[in-house]
Amino acid sequence: MTETEERPYHHGSLRDALLSAAERTLRAQGQDELSLRELARQIGVSHAAPRRHFRDRQALLDALAISGFERLGAKLEAAIEAADDDFASRLHDAVGAFVRFATQDAALLELMFSTKHRDGAEEVREAASAAFATLPGLIEQGQAEGLLAAGTSSRAGIVLLATVQGIATLINGGMVEAERLDELVDAAVEQFLRGNRPD
């Protein structure tokens, strides 16, 4: 197959193929190595083909970030739904789901959060908000059960996110062994509950 010949992608499958190839490159080589031209070469389509779905490299990065936030949101929601009904169990499983996502897909997570803060990235910010949409309700459940102090759920949510992001950063940076993930999740949840108890 020459560079100008294309595989017979069905409608929408070319976009999915480009995103999958982009994720593989992101994990293996980092964000700087992502280019539409190289992705086209990898999957065997013409150099112009990716522009049917992504007008430029930044559009590709935005799409990767949005896809990442959608997957993260689905994992958080699934973890909460699968847990026992009590707040502590749901919190523990949500924290575990986030840290696992963050350590298994570190390069993608970094891209997600850096892209979210880019000027003009409204769609990415909307996807990020949707990903964490379950957390305020979870915090409110803890308050209703008398396990968390009353107050704004957003403040407690920020502290919780900072804690779990910190665990992921330590593991991803090699400062803490990945084998300690479960232990650290247990400790983080326990300390969060203890530190936010009603007086």
Side-chain angles (χ1 to χ4, degrees):
M1 180 180 292
T2 66
E3 285 189 335
T4 56
E5 291 177 322
E6 295 189 23
R7 292 179 183 169
Y9 287 99
H10 297 290
H11 178 69
S13 65
L14 174 58
R15 185 180 191 278
D16 292 341
L18 288 165
L19 286 173
S20 294
E23 278 200 40
R24 288 192 298 273
T25 300
L26 182 65
R27 290 190 192 103
Q29 301 173 34
Q31 179 178 333
D32 291 344
E33 297 303 315
L34 281 173
S35 77
L36 292 175
R37 178 177 289 265
E38 177 58 22
L39 291 176
R41 188 197 65 76
Q42 285 179 26
I43 64 175
V45 297
S46 71
H47 293 324
R51 296 192 184 276
R52 297 176 190 170
H53 299 283
F54 307 111
R55 67 183 178 279
D56 54 24
R57 181 176 180 275
Q58 187 59 60
L60 171 69
L61 296 178
D62 288 354
L64 274 176
I66 290 168
S67 174
F69 279 119
E70 288 172 348
R71 290 210 309 268
L72 174 58
K75 287 181 181 296
L76 291 174
E77 188 172 347
I80 290 170
E81 288 181 358
D84 292 337
D85 290 338
D86 64 288
F87 170 68
S89 295
R90 298 178 89 198
L91 176 67
H92 180 277
D93 288 6
V95 168
F98 179 90
V99 176
R100 284 183 185 85
F101 179 93
T103 52
Q104 291 166 1
D105 247 328
L108 178 60
L109 190 79
E110 181 180 347
L111 171 68
M112 287 158 55
F113 281 99
S114 64
T115 303
K116 180 171 79 80
H117 297 294
R118 183 182 62 79
D119 288 343
E122 283 77 14
E123 288 185 40
V124 181
R125 283 189 281 277
E126 287 172 9
S129 295
F132 295 107
T134 54
L135 294 187
L138 186 59
I139 298 297
E140 288 166 8
Q141 178 186 354
Q143 292 169 338
E145 291 182 10
L147 295 174
L148 299 182
T152 60
S153 60
S154 63
R155 183 179 60 212
I158 290 169
V159 171
L160 179 62
L161 181 59
T163 301
V164 297
Q165 183 78 353
I167 293 171
T169 299
L170 290 171
I171 292 174
N172 290 339
M175 291 174 276
V176 173
E177 300 87 352
E179 293 75 20
R180 297 187 62 190
L181 187 151
D182 290 335
E183 167 200 343
L184 293 172
V185 167
D186 291 345
V189 170
E190 181 183 341
Q191 290 177 17
F192 178 78
L193 291 172
R194 187 185 306 127
N196 288 278
R197 257 187 241 156
D199 294 331

